[in-house]
Amino acid sequence: MTTVLHLDRRRFLRGTGVCLALPFMESLLPRSSRAIEKVSQAKRMAVVTVPFGMVVDKFHPTEAGADYQLTPTLEPLRELKNDFTVFSNFDHDVRGGHAANHALLSGVKSTERAAYPDGNLTVDQRAAELVGHNTRFPSLVFWRTGMSYTRTGVRVPAIEKPSDAFRLLFVNETEEQKKFNRASVKSSGSILDVIREDARRLKPALGAADQQKLEEYFTSIRETERKLELAKDWIDRPKPAVKDSKMKKVGDGSRDNQTGGNQIEIWLDLMFLALQTDSTRVLTMSVKNGNWGLDDVTDSYHTLSHHGQREDKLSQLKIIEEHLMQNFARFISRLKSTRQPDGSSLLDSTQILFGSGLGSGSRHSNTNLPIILAGGGWKHGQHLDGQRAQPLCNLYLSMLQRMGAEQAYFNRGNSTLTGLA
């Protein structure tokens, strides 16, 4: 069944203390087509990362181009083959095994950020800088902390419980909570004013290196001030309503402690709803380790990733990776079936990146990373073999330019990716 993208959350039905968001209704739009174009042309980014690589010979196709054969791992995506591109022989030329996994979305290890103008800023957080001012939440990070970094090198904390994410997105605060939020924003703004003045007085006494650190500090303050200003504008705007009874159960916390396999489905459903309701346009979900609770899987995800080519572990890992791809395919399909006001799909305006900072988890390799890009209006239906001739950050630069960035580099990348547009 085709779902409909909510357009205007200022339209509500009110009565007996209940407020329900109306679905998109074309007759409520202004006569001008600009309102339709504004929502339909909005650019979005969703990122799904896994921590332990993939079984590479089951993930990467052997043929390049449009006539490639789907591998066993990609088989759940068969019906969507024309909606995504799979990449091989792309990476960041970094080393460190698990310790370098966090560089997936930036190409830069946190210990090496000083060598780059934007530090280890990740592609999702750069996208949030571009479009985050349009929505209640500039960006959201789900499930696991450690993959998203701001330009000042700060790790963006993840929302770790599905119930917390649901309440944040869809449960309205009480009047008392709103009053507290207003006071907190005002107080935080006053504190930042004092800190900024103290820092400026300190600056003349600092050496060049310390002045650079202070400038990074100022950047962080400006970023915080911008977020506070945006937060203030949203305090009194009602949140969208969710009618799905299954998702309402997420809000009561009853599904917080379910096993990892089931949580993938829950988190992807929350990502879909966040995009559908335009609560945010930038989302990152990072999978946690754990026992998956899937039939015939007895070991943890991490343990199985160190399979050493043992068939008993590979057979369990196959079940996990198939489960991942099935849910990823379902997520893409839901976006594809969601119509925007101009008739295009939500997938058309959403770039979806899947990947890991490890290629082979068994070998602790950071080369030949498993990468998929879906949606976003790109030329898909192909396998691009980079032959390690260009950095993965070239893909990120291409994605950011499609989000509206006017920049010629992104960390290790200084060119857009050939073969994708």
Side-chain angles (χ1 to χ4, degrees):
M1 179 179 179
T2 299
T3 49
V4 178
L5 177 66
H6 295 289
L7 173 64
D8 189 346
R9 282 171 279 139
R10 291 173 293 182
R11 300 277 188 174
F12 297 91
L13 296 177
R14 295 182 174 87
T16 63
V18 177
C19 178
L20 292 178
L22 286 173
F24 165 70
M25 296 182 183
E26 195 166 320
S27 59
L28 295 179
L29 283 173
R31 294 294 181 184
S32 169
S33 62
R34 292 178 184 174
I36 293 178
E37 292 175 357
K38 185 175 181 181
V39 173
S40 299
Q41 294 176 2
K43 303 301 182 183
R44 302 169 179 87
M45 183 183 294
V47 179
V48 178
T49 77
V50 293
F52 307 124
M54 304 290 280
V55 180
V56 290
D57 61 336
K58 303 296 184 183
F59 180 91
H60 294 297
T62 56
E63 313 92 347
D67 295 327
Y68 76 96
Q69 297 298 311
L70 289 170
T71 57
T73 301
L74 299 176
E75 185 60 34
L77 294 162
R78 176 169 293 279
E79 297 300 318
L80 299 162
K81 188 178 179 182
N82 291 329
D83 299 302
F84 73 91
T85 296
V86 59
F87 300 84
S88 61
N89 289 306
F90 283 89
D91 54 57
H92 298 304
D93 196 27
V94 299
R95 300 291 183 272
H98 287 302
N101 184 51
H102 71 278
L104 169 65
L105 302 180
S106 66
V108 180
K109 292 196 287 187
S110 57
T111 54
E112 300 172 354
R113 62 176 305 274
Y116 294 85
D118 297 322
N120 61 329
L121 175 68
T122 50
V123 62
D124 60 326
Q125 294 307 299
R126 175 61 183 129
E129 292 178 350
L130 296 167
V131 302
H133 60 281
N134 293 308
T135 52
R136 184 184 294 273
F137 303 106
S139 73
L140 290 172
V141 176
F142 288 162
W143 205 1
R144 183 170 69 93
T145 299
M147 299 303 292
S148 297
Y149 289 78
T150 69
R151 65 174 56 251
T152 54
V154 176
R155 289 194 306 177
V156 180
I159 302 168
E160 297 183 351
K161 294 181 179 180
S163 61
D164 289 342
F166 184 92
R167 286 192 289 268
L168 186 69
L169 286 164
F170 305 118
V171 177
N172 287 305
E173 290 85 2
T174 63
E175 287 303 318
E176 185 175 347
Q177 288 172 323
K178 291 178 182 179
K179 183 178 179 180
F180 175 79
N181 291 343
R182 293 187 201 98
S184 295
V185 169
K186 184 176 181 180
S187 173
S188 298
S190 300
I191 292 170
L192 288 175
D193 288 340
V194 174
I195 292 174
R196 183 171 51 244
E197 288 304 314
D198 285 348
R200 281 175 177 161
R201 285 194 292 269
L202 177 64
K203 187 173 183 178
L206 300 176
D210 287 334
Q211 285 195 16
Q212 182 177 349
K213 291 180 182 178
L214 187 62
E215 186 54 40
E216 290 182 356
Y217 182 59
F218 278 135
T219 300
S220 180
I221 290 176
R222 286 191 291 268
E223 184 178 310
T224 302
E225 286 177 326
R226 183 177 65 87
K227 290 179 179 178
L228 286 171
E229 191 63 30
L230 291 172
K232 181 176 67 176
D233 292 340
W234 287 96
I235 289 175
D236 292 309
R237 299 193 199 183
K239 296 178 182 179
V242 173
K243 296 180 180 180
D244 187 334
S245 59
K246 183 185 75 172
M247 291 308 297
K248 287 182 179 179
K249 292 180 181 179
V250 173
D252 66 17
S254 61
R255 302 188 69 181
D256 283 351
N257 296 319
Q258 292 193 357
T259 52
N262 286 325
Q263 286 217 348
I264 286 172
E265 179 183 350
I266 295 168
W267 283 117
L268 288 173
D269 283 348
L270 286 167
M271 289 179 73
F272 168 75
L273 289 172
L275 292 168
Q276 182 201 32
T277 57
D278 207 27
S279 297
T280 187
R281 294 176 184 171
V282 181
L283 282 155
T284 302
M285 187 269 274
S286 298
V287 173
K288 272 188 178 181
N289 182 37
N291 290 309
W292 287 66
L294 301 172
D295 291 342
D296 298 320
V297 177
T298 58
D299 291 326
S300 74
Y301 188 14
H302 183 207
T303 299
L304 293 171
S305 72
H306 294 282
H307 52 78
Q309 298 301 320
R310 286 178 51 183
E311 188 55 41
D312 60 326
K313 293 186 181 296
L314 283 169
S315 63
Q316 294 182 64
L317 198 54
K318 176 184 176 182
I319 296 171
I320 287 179
E321 294 187 352
E322 182 178 83
H323 184 73
L324 276 167
M325 289 296 104
Q326 287 172 343
N327 279 280
F328 186 58
R330 178 172 171 270
F331 175 59
I332 296 172
S333 295
R334 295 188 77 186
L335 292 172
K336 185 176 180 178
S337 67
T338 300
R339 296 295 107 188
Q340 299 193 97
D342 69 347
S344 63
S345 76
L346 189 52
L347 181 63
D348 291 333
S349 64
T350 306
Q351 300 181 83
I352 308 170
L353 179 72
F354 173 93
S356 175
L358 287 176
S360 168
S362 184
R363 296 197 298 268
H364 281 196
S365 168
N366 302 110
T367 60
N368 195 13
L369 302 180
I371 301 293
I372 296 171
L373 179 67
W378 292 105
K379 173 188 174 184
H380 287 308
Q382 59 178 327
H383 164 221
L384 287 183
D385 184 348
Q387 300 180 355
R388 302 203 72 208
Q390 52 183 324
L392 181 56
C393 279
N394 281 1
L395 170 61
Y396 298 166
L397 178 60
S398 300
M399 294 172 67
L400 289 171
Q401 288 188 358
R402 183 145 292 199
M403 295 289 291
E406 296 180 0
Q407 59 190 75
Y409 73 91
F410 178 73
N411 296 345
R412 292 178 182 269
N414 57 13
S415 174
T416 54
L417 191 71
T418 55
L420 185 63

